Every structure is written in C-alpha cells, then in structure tokens.
Amino acid sequence: MRFLRHLFQNNSAWAAEITRKDPDFFNALSSQQAPAHLWIGCSDSRVPANEIVGLLPGEMFVHRNVANVVVHGDLNCLSVIQYAVDVLRVRHIIVCGHYGCGGVLSALRDDKLGLVDNWLRHVQDVRWKHQDQLDELHTEAEQHDRLCELNVVEQVVNVAQTTVVRDAWSRNQPVAVHGWVYGLRDGLLRDLGMVITSPEELLVKAKAAREGVSA
Ligand code: CO
C-alpha cells in the first residue's frame, strides 16, 4: 500500500533492459534533451504518448490534460509550448486526441462530474461551435467520434494562434502543428490532414478540417 513495490520492480527491470541495449543511454540523456516533437494529448491512461509512437525518453516533450485542450490563457500549457519552441526548438507540435474520449463524451452529454465540468466547458465551446454539423449525425457514437476530431481541429487552431508559435513563424523558425486522433480499439493513429506551418496555411487547413475534408 505505502510503497508500490511492483512499480519499482518494473522500473529496475525497464532501466536494466534499456542499459543492456545501450550502456550509455542514461548517461548521454542525463546531460541534455533534444526532442524534435511536442505532444499535447489527453490524460487518458490508454493513450501513453511515447509508447504509441515508439519513441524513447528524450525524443518527445509531453503535455497532457483531460481532453487535450489548449486554452489561450492556460499558463501551464502555454509555458510547455513556449519552452518547447523557444528553448528546445522542437520542429513538430502534435495535438493528439482519441476516439472514445471520456472528457469529450461528458461535454457532449453535459454530464455533471464536478470541478472537471468547468474544464470541459472548453470542449462544449467546440461542440456549440459545430452543433449544426453534429446534429446531422444520427447516433451518439457518431457525434462522439466527430466531436473528438473537431476538438483536435480547434486545439490545433489554438496552438497555431499562440504568440509563441506566431513569433516562431515570423522569425522563420520552422514549426509544424499537426492534428491526430488515436483509436483505442485498434491502437492506430489517424492524421486529420491538418498540418499547419504558417498563418496563411492555418486559414485554409482549418476551414477544410472543420468541414471534414483534407486540404
Ligand atoms: Co480522453
């Protein structure tokens, strides 16, 4: 109860296995990190960022919260993006949602779960914005899937609207913002076809992605 021994056992086995493959791995990583990717994903325990894309420690900077939301005034998320872009100089920012997201479903159903409802208001903003499109879908499952996608689309837009990313683009620092959705049922990623590398591209790609077509 107090010590979670099995997790420490797992940890020593994991560290031993990595060291067996590359004796200098931890030594080299301890002096610096130079990840090329920033992952912004859901806190859901079934969507472990590094694992599903096969990246090792040191290869991806990660920020996760309930329903992978990027809020303009969230100092936590903004600080992660700023550090990743300005200091680590990541090339790619990936917003990855997932089908079957409980946070998105709660926003869709207007569930009452407590404090988290306030956070999920941001997903409800996405829902209200696209209510006409969601109304055209016949089942809740279809609406849920689509809202998971639309939530990613709007969070990609929010990333691309940050002063951090705008400033990087204005000084010609290459940063691409991607929108992906992960499938819990098959373990596969789906690219929403929304790669944004400039303010001009944002306008075109956001319109297409909101309508559900790849630009
Ligand atoms: Co989720």
Side-chain angles (χ1 to χ4, degrees), residues 42 44 98 101-102:
C42 184
D44 193 303
H98 65 103
C101 182

mmCIF file of all heavy atoms in Angstrom, residues 42 44 98 101-102, ligand 1:
data_model
loop_
_atom_site.group_PDB
_atom_site.id
_atom_site.type_symbol
_atom_site.label_atom_id
_atom_site.label_comp_id
_atom_site.label_asym_id
_atom_site.label_seq_id
_atom_site.Cartn_x
_atom_site.Cartn_y
_atom_site.Cartn_z
ATOM 1 N N CYS A 42 -4.375 13.711 -24.423
ATOM 2 C CA CYS A 42 -5.306 13.516 -23.308
ATOM 3 C C CYS A 42 -4.605 12.772 -22.167
ATOM 4 O O CYS A 42 -3.701 11.968 -22.397
ATOM 5 C CB CYS A 42 -6.523 12.711 -23.778
ATOM 6 S SG CYS A 42 -7.790 12.517 -22.490
ATOM 7 N N ASP A 44 -5.843 10.461 -20.551
ATOM 8 C CA ASP A 44 -6.367 9.085 -20.552
ATOM 9 C C ASP A 44 -5.231 8.052 -20.451
ATOM 10 O O ASP A 44 -4.266 8.101 -21.216
ATOM 11 C CB ASP A 44 -7.177 8.862 -21.842
ATOM 12 C CG ASP A 44 -8.016 7.594 -21.778
ATOM 13 O OD1 ASP A 44 -7.446 6.505 -21.564
ATOM 14 O OD2 ASP A 44 -9.249 7.691 -21.948
ATOM 15 N N HIS A 98 -8.263 11.356 -28.948
ATOM 16 C CA HIS A 98 -8.510 9.926 -29.153
ATOM 17 C C HIS A 98 -10.001 9.657 -29.193
ATOM 18 O O HIS A 98 -10.787 10.332 -28.510
ATOM 19 C CB HIS A 98 -7.831 9.085 -28.059
ATOM 20 C CG HIS A 98 -8.383 9.308 -26.682
ATOM 21 N ND1 HIS A 98 -9.243 8.411 -26.074
ATOM 22 C CD2 HIS A 98 -8.222 10.317 -25.796
ATOM 23 C CE1 HIS A 98 -9.559 8.871 -24.867
ATOM 24 N NE2 HIS A 98 -8.964 10.014 -24.684
ATOM 25 N N CYS A 101 -12.991 9.301 -26.102
ATOM 26 C CA CYS A 101 -12.525 10.172 -25.013
ATOM 27 C C CYS A 101 -13.671 10.456 -24.035
ATOM 28 O O CYS A 101 -14.722 10.986 -24.418
ATOM 29 C CB CYS A 101 -11.989 11.483 -25.586
ATOM 30 S SG CYS A 101 -11.328 12.589 -24.317
ATOM 31 N N GLY A 102 -13.456 10.099 -22.773
ATOM 32 C CA GLY A 102 -14.487 10.291 -21.756
ATOM 33 C C GLY A 102 -14.791 11.760 -21.514
ATOM 34 O O GLY A 102 -15.946 12.138 -21.273
HETATM 35 CO CO CO B 1 -9.563 11.466 -23.399
#
